[in-house]
Amino acid sequence: MVTRIVRRYTKALYEEASQLGIQKEVNEDVTSLYNLLKSNRLLRNFFQSPILSKNKKQSVVRILFEGKIHEESLKFLLFLIEQNREDLIVPLFEDYIGYEKEMNNKLDVVVTSVIELDKVEKEKIIRSVTEYSKKEILPTFDTDESLIGGFRINMGNYVIDASISHQLDVIKNKFKQVSL
């Protein structure tokens, strides 16, 4: 769940990047920093530490990221620390990534099938989902043998389940409803 304060910071960063014409750079920085924070517990603990002062955190952030991320991204990180909002960094970056996709009409889609789909099948699914959603599709393809056959498409909160295992579950539930 996105809190109001997270969304306010997300929108502020997005609008600032748009106005300055540096959306691509900020998007890349946010994605990189988000992935780094998700995979590095030590860095997450650093930001959430109540023992370290603002000045110490800001100094370390400058040492770690100056010259490696865009100046505006660095300013934003330092601003969050100044405002005692370090605890919002991970949820804020996660929200920013989703908000940026939403604002640019992009949709994450996960297609799961029993076997690896070939290029033609992937393109056909992407084309169909693009037509249906009217959005740019950012596809991920997975395999799952428990599907038995068919496929499952996850598009945000919407799921198209055309797997044999799902069809068998539907049939099983219908038999349970029939009284003999």
Side-chain angles (χ1 to χ4, degrees), residues 41-54 56-57 81 84 86-87:
R41 187 175 52 102
L42 188 61
L43 189 57
R44 280 193 316 272
N45 289 344
F46 161 77
F47 279 113
Q48 295 176 355
S49 173
I51 298 168
L52 297 171
S53 69
K54 288 180 191 182
K56 187 70 168 171
K57 287 181 182 181
I81 294 168
N84 292 318
E86 305 96 86
D87 59 322

Side-chain angles (χ1 to χ4, degrees), residues 10-145:
T10 294
K11 283 183 174 181
L13 179 60
Y14 182 83
E15 289 170 11
E16 181 74 10
S18 296
Q19 287 175 355
L20 295 173
I22 56 169
Q23 256 189 324
K24 182 180 180 209
E25 293 88 346
V26 170
N27 294 345
E28 289 171 1
D29 291 343
V30 167
T31 302
S32 296
L33 290 169
Y34 175 73
N35 290 332
L36 179 63
L37 286 163
K38 289 297 280 184
S39 66
N40 191 321
R41 187 175 52 102
L42 188 61
L43 189 57
R44 280 193 316 272
N45 289 344
F46 161 77
F47 279 113
Q48 295 176 355
S49 173
I51 298 168
L52 297 171
S53 69
K54 288 180 191 182
N55 291 338
K56 187 70 168 171
K57 287 181 182 181
Q58 288 175 330
S59 295
V60 170
V61 165
R62 280 190 183 93
I63 291 167
L64 288 175
F65 300 114
E66 201 163 39
K68 294 179 180 99
I69 61 175
H70 194 278
E71 185 180 332
E72 290 301 317
S73 301
L74 180 62
K75 283 182 187 176
F76 187 73
L77 262 179
L78 296 172
F79 176 73
L80 289 174
I81 294 168
E82 184 62 38
Q83 299 298 311
N84 292 318
R85 297 294 191 180
E86 305 96 86
D87 59 322
L88 297 180
I89 291 173
V90 173
L92 195 152
F93 285 170
E94 183 175 28
D95 184 50
Y96 182 91
I97 293 166
Y99 185 76
E100 185 273 330
K101 288 175 184 173
E102 181 183 323
M103 297 306 292
N104 290 297
N105 211 26
K106 296 177 183 176
L107 180 64
D108 283 320
V109 174
V110 178
V111 179
T112 307
S113 58
V114 175
I115 59 170
E116 181 71 30
L117 300 174
D118 65 30
K119 185 178 178 183
V120 174
E121 292 169 323
K122 289 179 180 180
E123 288 173 358
K124 186 176 179 181
I125 289 172
I126 291 169
R127 200 171 28 256
S128 296
V129 174
T130 300
E131 264 180 43
Y132 175 78
S133 67
K134 309 286 190 249
K135 295 183 180 203
E136 178 184 343
I137 302 305
L138 305 172
T140 303
F141 293 91
D142 288 332
T143 58
D144 180 358
E145 291 180 11

